[in-house]
Amino acid sequence: MKSDRKSKVYVHLLFWVLYYILEVYLDFYWSRYQFPDMAWQIRLQNTIVLELGYLLIKMPLAYSLLYVYEKTTIKRFLTYVFCCFIIVTAVLIHRFFTHYIIYPHIYGVTETLDGKQASGFINGLVAFNSFMDLIFMAGLIFGVEITRQKSLLKEQISLLKTEKLDQELSMLKAQINPHFLFNTLNNIYGMALKKADETPDVILQLSKVMRYNIYEATEKYISIDKDVENLKDFLQIQQIRHRDLVIIFNEEMDHPIQEISPLILIQFVENAFKHGVSETLGQSFLHIDLKLNNGVLHYHIENSKEEKPHGNSTKIGLKNIRRQLELLYPKHSLTVESTNDRYIVNLIIDFNDSSRF
């Protein structure tokens, strides 16, 4: 609300300054023909003064009309009546100021109309001229204010869309497989009962993964090397849980500090474990190739699966990932292939694309 008020003050102040300069220029130019014998310095001085007087008439008119237009809750007919009353009052004041103050006291002459002395401050033609002058000003201020409000509304809509997308992304991130934590804790419990030497290492890796998910993953973007490090910690824990699992992880990054949305990469791996590796009865494997070159990420995953997987639960995980990619990287490329014994995922993200919000 405060920013809206400040914006309105700045825009309207700029409008009146520019409008005043325009009116001074036009009246000064007109006075060359109306008062050819008057020195230009005097004409300029008179023009500056009289336009200040006109401004004191036009500004109340403008804001009275804006107030009636924006604030009134009465019927439309009565709104028109109020507006007409305000305009007629302003025209009368404008004519009085012109006829009785400007001409006799500033220019030192009697107001004339077509070379003849004006009989009074109310006359059809001069009143029409005053009316057009005031309406022109009112039209300008209404145009400025409506344009400002539309621009502000556009910014607010854009902000709401961004906030909505951020909330949706937060919800999608929160849907990351919670079974990993419970299963890992169960494994740690079993290892503790056996007094296995790897227990402290697993606890350390789990604490690193949880710290990343709770704190660092809340950022909108993070360097890809941190995301890859979290992925490696996750794989080390899974390697202990699945001792017969063969994991091959190749990485090649020419710009490790390239920013990426947290938890994008790990979700494909979680999906591989949840719907492939964990269901494989025989020898299971997981192959990951990650290459970042000139701002383009190539992410390839292959993992084992049973020939007849149980249900279609994998579609839910992929739907979540696809939605995040649509929001973050609209021009990404994602292909998922399923054969008799494996899943194959290929993801390409061009970080040079500026279309992401």
Side-chain angles (χ1 to χ4, degrees), residues 135-332:
I135 289 297
F136 173 72
M137 175 278 307
L140 287 178
I141 191 66
F142 265 79
V144 168
E145 179 59 17
I146 291 173
T147 301
R148 187 194 68 84
Q149 290 181 5
K150 285 186 176 181
S151 177
L152 182 63
L153 180 61
K154 186 176 180 180
E155 290 179 5
Q156 291 174 342
I157 292 174
S158 177
L159 180 61
L160 288 173
K161 285 182 178 180
T162 301
E163 291 177 350
K164 181 181 178 181
L165 292 178
D166 286 340
Q167 291 174 358
E168 185 174 353
L169 282 170
S170 297
M171 292 178 62
L172 289 170
K173 288 179 180 179
Q175 295 172 18
I176 294 174
N177 185 10
H179 301 293
F180 161 71
L181 175 60
F182 299 117
N183 290 338
T184 303
L185 289 174
N186 286 332
N187 281 107
I188 292 175
Y189 175 72
M191 294 169 66
L193 290 178
K194 298 177 182 178
K195 298 182 179 181
D197 295 335
E198 304 98 323
T199 305
D201 293 331
V202 177
I203 294 175
L204 178 62
Q205 297 297 332
L206 179 60
S207 67
K208 290 175 64 179
V209 171
M210 296 309 299
R211 186 184 304 112
Y212 182 87
N213 279 264
I214 294 173
Y215 297 108
E216 299 186 62
T218 57
E219 298 293 330
K220 193 169 185 179
Y221 297 102
I222 197 168
S223 62
I224 194 170
D225 59 341
K226 291 185 179 180
D227 212 48
V228 171
E229 182 182 354
N230 176 65
L231 180 57
K232 290 179 180 177
D233 292 333
F234 176 83
L235 290 173
Q236 289 182 21
I237 295 174
Q238 294 289 7
Q239 183 71 80
I240 295 173
R241 290 183 56 211
H242 306 275
R243 295 185 179 276
D244 296 330
L245 172 64
V246 176
I247 298 179
I248 300 176
F249 187 6
N250 299 316
E251 64 171 296
E252 180 183 329
M253 296 187 290
D254 63 353
H255 189 52
I257 62 173
Q258 168 68 55
E259 290 189 333
I260 189 173
S261 176
L263 306 178
I264 284 290
L265 302 178
I266 198 173
Q267 291 184 70
F268 291 98
V269 178
E270 284 190 331
N271 213 48
F273 277 100
K274 186 176 180 181
H275 306 297
V277 174
S278 298
E279 297 178 346
T280 304
L281 300 178
Q283 180 69 53
S284 59
F285 66 87
L286 174 63
H287 298 167
I288 303 175
D289 285 301
L290 187 150
K291 293 182 180 180
L292 177 63
N293 186 28
N294 294 325
V296 180
L297 174 68
H298 293 266
Y299 191 43
H300 176 84
I301 299 177
E302 287 190 34
N303 64 274
S304 57
K305 72 161 192 172
E306 287 297 297
E307 291 189 10
K308 295 181 180 180
H310 302 288
N312 294 319
S313 57
T314 182
K315 294 182 179 179
I316 300 175
L318 283 175
K319 183 178 180 181
N320 184 325
I321 299 171
R322 288 183 188 277
R323 180 56 181 158
Q324 291 188 56
L325 288 170
E326 288 173 2
L327 294 174
L328 292 163
Y329 307 102
K331 295 184 180 180
H332 71 279

Side-chain angles (χ1 to χ4, degrees), residues 32 37 41 51 55 57-58 72 84-85 94 107-108 135 150 156 170 176 204 223 230 248 256 258 285 287 327 338 341:
R32 292 170 55 190
D37 298 330
Q41 295 92 338
E51 285 302 332
L55 212 59
I57 299 172
K58 294 177 179 179
T72 186
C84 290
F85 173 78
H94 187 279
Y107 289 123
I135 289 297
K150 285 186 176 181
Q156 291 174 342
S170 297
I176 294 174
L204 178 62
S223 62
N230 176 65
I248 300 176
Q258 168 68 55
F285 66 87
H287 298 167
L327 294 174
S338 177
D341 62 345

